[in-house]
Amino acid sequence: MLFIALLTLGVVYLAALITYSPTENPWSGDVALSEPVVNLAGVFGAYLGDISLSILGYGAYLIPISLIWLGYNIHKNTGQKPTHRSVLIIRVIAVMLMVAFSTALLAQNTTDPAGGWIGDMMHDYFGTLFGSASFVVYLSIMMISFSIASSASWANIFTSTGGVLGALLAKFKAFREKSKAKKAAKVVITPKQAPAPKPSVMAKVKSAKIKPNKKI
């Protein structure tokens, strides 16, 4: 039941963000909605998308993704020993930190809605505190938070990613070698014919025929 609820909420939330229209901003712009609503999630989606993008900017996309990921993990771990409540609380806090510092990163490097109000406030503080190095601070905290929330090791992630890239590169090399072999098989090497020898002067004289003069 919880898996279905989280999956449904995550999909609806994601649809509300993806199909959000700047003309449908009933919360930030105080604009009355007209029928039919462009947002796929209806009036609820128009409000949800407007509030989320205004407060969190593009960082709001991490919320539905996290909900879907959480629902998947609950479904995958069905029948196993439940995780301790304190661990769940720590992971929720890690997700909140990841979302918050992603908004600061977006506010630093993208245009509106960027990181929303929270991103602007966080970058105003941390950007002044750390200067240009704030990008490294944001990225590091996001990576640490992701590791805590997902129980994933970045070493394993990089190793698996490198293995996938290596396999793709090997397939690409094999494909190129196969293509070269096909092209080489199609090429027919024909020897150049030597030019015919020019007749010598004596041969020309011998082959010449002296025509008799005709009497008029």
Side-chain angles (χ1 to χ4, degrees), residues 56 96-105 107 115-130 134 138 141:
L56 298 172
M96 293 171 64
L97 285 173
M98 182 176 64
V99 173
F101 279 91
S102 70
T103 61
L105 183 70
W117 298 344
I118 291 180
D120 291 338
M121 288 189 296
M122 290 192 66
H123 183 56
D124 286 343
Y125 177 75
F126 288 102
T128 304
L129 185 62
F130 294 105
S134 58
Y138 301 154
I141 295 176

Side-chain angles (χ1 to χ4, degrees), residues 49-64:
D50 187 19
I51 294 171
S52 299
L53 291 174
S54 297
I55 296 176
L56 298 172
Y58 295 121
Y61 281 89
L62 291 175
I63 297 177

Side-chain angles (χ1 to χ4, degrees), residues 143-177:
M143 292 175 69
I144 294 170
S145 301
F146 175 79
S147 298
I148 296 172
S150 62
S151 301
S153 169
W154 281 102
N156 294 335
I157 292 173
F158 289 141
T159 301
S160 59
T161 305
V164 172
L165 292 176
L168 290 175
L169 183 61
K171 288 183 179 180
F172 178 70
K173 287 182 177 178
F175 176 77
R176 286 190 62 184
E177 290 176 359

